[in-house]
């Protein structure tokens, strides 16, 4: 199961029905079905190529107006892990952040980046709360992160909004962008509440 199907619906209500149509059309696994900003609904399914193609075709043929539909083969396990929000430990001495015009392009660019260079994909944010855009965060050695960012830019073309590569970022910045800071802050707050007051 290394093929990913992406359907971007212009309607939230239609997106709910499209997700159901896609799952009934072929033996695929629903990775995500969620609202993204600007009133759109993003559906991601995985499975073998034939099943995913059948599932995405069912959405395209449904009569609903789509913002986009994609089938991506041989998807990196790192991308699938990021979509499932599996935690990844940052590594290396550099941090890369790639910001894209929409959610689907971000998934495709992240896949190309991790296949191009020895980097860790530590976070992927798709659409919600950021105006329908997406971004992903890479860590690794400086040259590897630069190579991965360049690969992303080539894939994205005009869909690239901005990218940065930060050599030797402050550890707090890395944790924040990897989505780890909020968890650490809540743990620290809990520890303070549980410790006895000093007199």
């Amino acid at each position: 199961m290394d093929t990913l199907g992406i359907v971007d619906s212009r309607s939230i209500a239609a997106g709910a029905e499209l997700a159901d149509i896609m799952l009934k059309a072929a033996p695929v696994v629903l990775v995500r079905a969620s609202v993204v900003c600007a009133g759109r609904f993003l559906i991601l399914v995985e499975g073998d190529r034939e099943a995913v193609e059948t599932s995405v075709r069912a959405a395209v043929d449904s009569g609903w107006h789509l913002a986009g539909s994609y089938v991506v083969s041989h998807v990196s396990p790192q991308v699938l892990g990021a979509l499932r929000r599996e935690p990844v430990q940052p590594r290396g001495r550099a941090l890369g952040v790639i910001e894209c015009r929409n959610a689907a392009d971000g998934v495709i660019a992240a896949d190309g980046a991790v296949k191009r260079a020895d980097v860790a994909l530590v976070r992927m944010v798709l659409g919600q709360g950021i105006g329908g855009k997406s971004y992903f965060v890479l860590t690794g050695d400086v040259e590897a992160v630069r190579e991965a960012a360049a690969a992303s830019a080539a894939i994205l073309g005009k869909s690239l909004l901005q990218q940065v590569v930060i050599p030797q970022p402050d550890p707090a910045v890395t944790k924040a962008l990897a989505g780890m800071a909020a968890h650490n802050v809540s743990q620290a707050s809990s520890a303070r509440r549980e410790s006895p007051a000093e007199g």
Side-chain angles (χ1 to χ4, degrees):
M1 297 206 330
D2 68 345
T3 300
L4 188 66
I6 307 170
V7 169
D8 187 354
S9 169
R10 292 191 183 277
S11 158
I12 296 166
E17 184 175 36
L18 285 163
D20 187 63
I21 288 168
M22 291 172 71
L23 293 176
K24 288 175 177 173
V28 292
V29 174
L30 184 64
V31 176
R32 186 176 297 181
S34 59
V35 175
V36 294
C37 286
R40 287 166 45 178
F41 195 88
L42 190 69
I43 306 155
L44 298 135
V45 297
E46 69 172 299
D48 64 46
R49 182 167 183 92
E50 183 179 344
V52 170
E53 285 178 340
T54 299
S55 178
V56 170
R57 194 177 318 113
V60 171
D61 293 344
S62 69
W64 288 109
H65 188 55
L66 305 180
S69 63
Y70 312 85
V71 175
V72 187
S73 290
H74 308 296
V75 176
S76 165
Q78 285 199 69
V79 170
L80 293 173
L83 291 171
R84 293 183 192 119
R85 297 182 177 103
E86 296 169 359
V88 176
Q89 195 64 33
R91 60 181 167 87
R93 297 184 177 183
L95 178 74
V97 181
I98 293 85
E99 183 180 3
C100 317
R101 284 196 191 281
N102 64 57
D105 287 343
V107 174
I108 294 165
D111 187 56
V114 298
K115 288 176 177 173
R116 179 66 180 266
D118 183 20
V119 292
L121 176 61
V122 296
R123 190 172 189 196
M124 184 180 301
V125 177
L126 304 178
Q128 190 57 36
I130 53 174
K133 299 185 294 184
S134 63
Y135 72 91
F136 55 94
V137 180
L138 306 166
T139 62
D141 293 335
V142 176
E143 287 310 311
V145 173
R146 284 185 176 144
E147 185 179 358
S152 299
I155 291 165
L156 288 165
K158 292 181 180 178
S159 289
L160 175 68
L161 286 175
Q162 200 61 259
Q163 67 175 11
V164 295
V165 175
I166 307 169
Q168 299 181 331
D170 186 285
V173 171
T174 300
K175 283 184 177 180
L177 287 171
M180 298 164 63
H183 178 68
N184 291 345
V185 168
S186 65
Q187 282 183 331
S189 296
S190 296
R192 281 194 298 272
R193 281 194 304 269
E194 291 170 7
S195 64
E198 293 181 10

